[in-house]
Each structure stands twice: as structure tokens, then as C-alpha cells.
Amino acid sequence: VQLQASGGGLVQTGGSLRLSCAASGSIFSINAMGWYRQAPGKHRELVALITDGGTATTADSVRGRFTISRDNAKNTVYLQMNSLKPEDTAVYYCKLDYNRRATYSRYDYWGQGTQVTVSS
């Protein structure tokens, strides 16, 4: 399985970025895809998650500013981040919750992360 994430970068306070994460490989089905982030010295935390059925969960800290969406045909999840704040600075990780082809066993798989930096 591979996760190809893109869209991170440097942006000023109040700006926007859009992250994307495409999954490929031995995937029979996807249960959920999500974004987590980890700032220096802090634990990794959930940002937003979306299930196969389209149910989205968003952290309180980003609700109203970030929107998660998904293209099932492309096995891709997006995170639209608006009104960015310096405290949003972190490495953002894509996570895949899927069932493997042939075995149908359920696994979690993490992408390598993409840096988002918001300058004040």
C-alpha cells in the first residue's frame, strides 16, 4: 500500500492550503481516511476523519476552518484548510483504515507526513 500526500507548505496567517492524499496498492476496500497532525513537542492528534459512507469527524480546534472530503473513485482524501493560524503549524499525516485485498484483513497505514507552516 502507498499513500501519496501533497499540498503542504508555508502560508501566512489567514491563508489557505489544500492537502491531498491518494491511496493505492493492495486495497480491497477503505473504511476511513483521515488527517492527523503533530507539532514539535506534542502528541499526534486527530484533525479530521471521513468514513467510506461520508461521515466526517473534525477536531474542535479546526471545526469551521478545515473541511475534509473524499473522492472514493480515486481513493483520495482532501483537507481544505482555511483561516490558518500559527498554532496549525505541524506535520500533517494521512491515515488509511482499509481491508487488504485477498485476505480482507483490516489495517491502518500511515503516510510519511507533509509539513504545514503558518507564519504570523
Side-chain angles (χ1 to χ4, degrees), residues 26-31 52 70 96-101:
S26 298
I27 299 169
F28 173 73
S29 61
I30 294 176
N31 304 304
D52 181 57
R70 181 172 160 181
L96 171 68
D97 171 359
Y98 75 106
N99 297 299
R100 185 172 292 181
R101 194 179 298 163

Side-chain angles (χ1 to χ4, degrees), residues 28-86:
F28 173 73
S29 61
I30 294 176
N31 304 304
M33 295 184 76
W35 291 96
Y36 292 71
R37 68 185 182 186
Q38 187 166 16
K42 295 188 177 181
H43 295 295
R44 190 173 298 187
E45 63 176 0
L46 172 69
V47 177
L49 180 77
I50 187 165
T51 69
D52 181 57
T55 300
T57 300
T58 307
D60 290 344
S61 59
V62 305
R63 191 168 297 133
R65 301 187 296 122
F66 291 12
T67 302
I68 190 168
S69 61
R70 181 172 160 181
D71 185 334
N72 289 340
K74 296 181 179 180
N75 285 348
T76 299
V77 65
Y78 305 96
L79 185 69
Q80 178 66 43
M81 305 186 293
N82 299 328
S83 302
L84 282 159
K85 304 175 181 179

